[in-house]
Amino acid sequence: MKIVFIYSGAENIGIESISSFLKARGHEVHLLFDPAVFWGDTLINSKLLARYLNIDNAILRNTIALNPDMVAFSAYTGNYRWCLKIAKSVKAQVNVPILFGGIHPTSVPDVVLANDCVDYVIIGEGEHATLELLEGIKNGGKETLTKIPNLCMRLDGKTIINPPRPYIKDLDSLPMPDRGLFFDKVPILEEQFLMMTSRGCPYTCTYCTNDMLHATYCNEKQHVRRRSPENVIEELSWYYKRGRMKSINFADDIFTISKDWLEVFVEQYRAKIGLPFVCLAHPATINQDVVRLLKEGNCYLISLGIQSGSERIRKIDFDRHGSDEKILEAIGHIKDAGLKLTVDNIFGAPSETDQDILDGLEFYKQVKPDRIMTFWLTFFPRTSIIQKAKMKGTLTDEDIRMIDEGHSGFAHSTGSIRGEERKKYLEYEVLFQLTALFHNEKHFRWAAKLARIFPFKKLATRVVFVLNAVKNRDFKILNGVRYIFAKKNTP
């Protein structure tokens, strides 16, 4: 059977994994892709440019021309409304089954299925469920589909939500992700190689979709599964030999979760790949030995999840483990090794006060990170921070309904912060970015005075962000800038 995936944003390893799984069993897979350069989580977010340069009609025409047996969407909260819009357009033209998967449908499958244009929803891991759905449709008999784990659907006016099957424990058993789907669309993606060596996270931070996934897979004891070092090196080596790969972005929720795994991996990586890479880490997983291994492997930059410079906010609102002392200890190891450091900070926690923000600013001045990734809190469906916000009066039942339906914004832009609060947070965001750019207090104060009188705060934030990337020769961010202008064979 022929399945067409429609996606927007960046490369999606989940789609690539499902594609290779289906192709290995004889199915035909296509991708129609909108890079969403002007309306997603990029440096440029312009409603005018997004409307003028949108390729929705081209996606619709190509979908119909491909004459698929199924059309599939992988939706996160930020692009869910766009996915629905395209799905409605497709359904109005051709009577083809439409499948929704991804993190947003996993959170609220009942809400997604309430849309007439959606026939099926897959929750959680999609490889086996998608295959069984395609083969079930091919062989006929809608009743048989109701027994497929992970698959949700409507039948005779009733919504059927099937529980998930157990996690895929042996990730090495899966075929290598079908990278060509995205590389053929945007060739530069092969240069700035996105890699996942694991699935899952051990933590349940209240704002994160992993909080929801732990509840969905509540019968599982081990939520983190990892490919073997040999399996990861095999995939990297294949693309390394093509000669296009220049850097690697390890996007695991926590790349540093196992020192034993790192020891084996780094030895093989140094011998066969050796390219500079960036990775994500949790302060609790950082010690001198782990940082030494990363350095030996040619790690260039570590992204450390802090999320707030206020220890009170981390504990009360975010359920983040780790004291200020532990964070400072982890950062000390990173800086002693000469590695670049980027930290994440989320504005807009339910109980956050101006004092919390100012405390955070002072904390980051002490830390002196090379980059601060400033996010505005976005409420994702069925995460526990929603109930915290409701108790604080930040969210109403109507707000929560709107979140479930995907009206929650993007984490990189304005998120769920509205009204008068927006102006205040725009000013704070500039100051946090300047803290990373100017470690000298005198220079920081001088720049902060200029920023306060500059009227376009969001633009100022973006400019400082890029200047900081240039200062640090931060290839991850600079590659992001290149991506905006790179050649794209879309849709």
Side-chain angles (χ1 to χ4, degrees):
M1 295 186 75
K2 183 191 296 184
I3 182 170
V4 172
F5 281 94
I6 299 176
Y7 189 67
S8 69
E11 183 180 356
N12 186 307
I13 294 179
I15 291 176
E16 293 172 342
S17 180
I18 294 172
S19 175
S20 61
F21 193 80
L22 297 178
K23 285 182 175 179
R25 286 145 181 90
H27 295 283
E28 184 179 341
V29 182
H30 297 267
L31 172 69
L32 297 175
F33 178 58
D34 182 351
V37 168
F38 300 111
W39 63 270
D41 286 343
T42 60
L43 289 171
I44 303 173
N45 203 321
S46 166
K47 291 182 179 179
L48 178 63
L49 289 174
R51 184 164 54 249
Y52 180 71
L53 299 173
N54 88 77
I55 59 173
D56 295 357
N57 290 333
I59 288 175
L60 178 60
R61 288 194 304 271
N62 280 274
T63 302
I64 296 170
L66 285 167
N67 190 28
D69 297 299
M70 175 172 284
V71 175
F73 294 83
S74 181
Y76 56 97
T77 301
N79 79 346
Y80 171 65
R81 301 304 305 178
W82 177 85
C83 291
L84 273 183
K85 180 176 69 171
I86 301 296
K88 289 176 182 177
S89 299
V90 171
K91 205 71 167 178
Q93 296 285 330
V94 290
N95 187 24
V96 60
I98 291 182
L99 167 67
F100 268 56
I103 199 66
H104 190 90
T106 295
S107 306
V108 285
D110 52 332
V111 175
V112 178
L113 282 169
N115 296 278
D116 292 338
C117 61
V118 181
D119 299 292
Y120 306 101
V121 164
I122 286 178
I123 62 174
E125 294 179 308
E127 285 87 355
H128 291 285
T130 306
L131 175 65
E132 292 171 17
L133 172 61
L134 286 176
E135 294 181 345
I137 292 174
K138 181 180 179 180
N139 298 327
K142 202 167 186 179
E143 286 288 346
T144 62
L145 303 181
T146 63
K147 299 180 176 61
I148 297 176
N150 296 77
L151 182 65
C152 310
M153 58 189 292
R154 292 188 306 274
L155 183 64
D156 299 330
K158 295 182 180 179
T159 299
I160 299 169
I161 308 293
N162 286 325
R165 70 195 71 209
Y167 281 134
I168 299 172
K169 302 295 195 301
D170 181 12
L171 297 185
D172 286 8
S173 67
L174 296 172
M176 298 297 175
D178 183 12
R179 303 283 187 168
L181 277 184
F182 283 88
F183 290 175
D184 290 345
K185 298 292 183 181
V186 188
I188 195 178
L189 291 175
E190 188 169 352
E191 295 181 23
Q192 48 203 50
F193 202 87
L194 180 67
M195 189 70 187
M196 291 283 287
T197 73
S198 64
R199 292 184 179 183
C201 179
Y203 299 113
T204 54
C205 302
T206 61
Y207 54 83
C208 181
T209 52
N210 280 305
D211 179 42
M212 176 276 300
L213 285 173
H214 279 232
T216 301
Y217 284 91
C218 57
N219 293 324
E220 298 282 356
K221 294 181 180 179
Q222 178 64 28
H223 293 274
V224 180
R225 294 135 295 134
R226 199 160 205 179
R227 300 164 63 179
S228 67
E230 294 76 16
N231 182 264
V232 176
I233 294 297
E234 180 184 355
E235 181 182 1
L236 289 175
S237 296
W238 195 90
Y239 286 97
Y240 179 72
K241 290 173 183 176
R242 284 163 58 101
R244 302 171 189 171
M245 183 190 295
K246 295 180 179 178
S247 61
I248 300 173
N249 175 15
F250 288 105
D252 307 63
D253 288 324
I254 305 178
F255 185 69
T256 53
I257 198 167
S258 169
K259 183 171 79 72
D260 293 340
W261 187 93
L262 273 177
E263 285 179 338
V264 178
F265 174 76
V266 165
E267 182 179 358
Q268 297 182 31
Y269 184 86
R270 289 177 62 191
K272 297 181 179 180
I273 311 297
L275 291 174
F277 69 87
V278 300
C279 65
L280 304 172
H282 189 289
T285 66
I286 292 295
N287 57 43
Q288 192 171 22
D289 289 337
V290 166
V291 173
R292 173 184 54 79
L293 287 168
L294 293 175
K295 179 76 171 180
E296 290 174 358
N298 202 15
C299 176
Y300 167 79
L301 178 146
I302 297 178
S303 180
L304 198 64
I306 294 178
Q307 312 312 343
S308 176
S310 165
E311 187 171 330
R312 188 188 75 82
I313 292 296
R314 293 198 304 271
K315 288 182 178 179
I316 294 177
D317 283 341
F318 293 161
D319 194 21
R320 290 282 299 181
H321 302 272
S323 63
D324 285 350
E325 288 74 18
K326 176 56 185 175
I327 293 173
L328 291 171
E329 178 187 335
I331 290 173
H333 291 311
I334 294 170
K335 286 186 171 292
D336 287 345
L339 298 178
K340 296 288 184 180
L341 170 69
T342 176
V343 299
D344 295 345
N345 187 88
I346 300 174
F347 291 122
S351 69
E352 187 173 62
T353 65
D354 287 347
Q355 190 58 53
D356 289 314
I357 299 173
L358 293 173
D359 288 346
L361 188 63
E362 292 304 313
F363 182 75
Y364 292 128
K365 286 181 180 180
Q366 179 183 359
V367 167
K368 293 182 171 58
D370 299 292
R371 184 179 78 204
I372 299 180
M373 296 291 291
T374 49
F375 301 90
W376 297 40
L377 177 63
T378 296
F379 292 107
F380 296 119
R382 309 296 160 90
T383 51
S384 55
I385 199 167
I386 287 178
Q387 292 306 313
K388 288 178 176 287
K390 184 179 178 181
M391 290 176 61
K392 282 286 184 181
T394 304
L395 294 178
T396 65
D397 288 336
E398 175 62 14
D399 291 329
I400 296 171
R401 184 188 69 80
M402 294 290 282
I403 290 167
D404 289 349
E405 293 185 359
H407 299 284
S408 199
F410 286 90
H412 283 224
S413 54
T414 57
S416 303
I417 300 171
R418 298 165 292 187
E420 287 298 315
E421 292 286 284
R422 173 176 160 78
K423 181 179 178 181
K424 177 181 73 174
Y425 278 103
L426 280 169
E427 293 180 354
Y428 280 132
E429 189 174 29
V430 177
L431 293 178
F432 273 60
Q433 293 294 338
L434 288 172
T435 298
L437 183 62
F438 297 109
H439 292 167
N440 181 287
E441 180 65 18
K442 181 179 179 181
H443 295 163
F444 167 79
R445 291 185 180 279
W446 174 80
K449 288 180 180 179
L450 289 179
R452 286 192 178 96
I453 61 175
F454 188 75
F456 307 107
K457 295 297 189 294
K458 181 58 71 174
L459 175 61
T461 296
R462 292 290 186 257
V463 170
V464 175
F465 189 71
V466 173
L467 287 175
N468 202 26
V470 173
K471 169 192 169 187
N472 292 301
R473 298 180 182 178
D474 185 342
F475 65 75
K476 182 178 178 181
I477 299 303
L478 295 177
N479 281 340
V481 176
R482 288 181 61 213
Y483 175 83
I484 294 172
F485 303 100
K487 176 185 176 182
K488 302 175 182 68
N489 304 311
T490 55

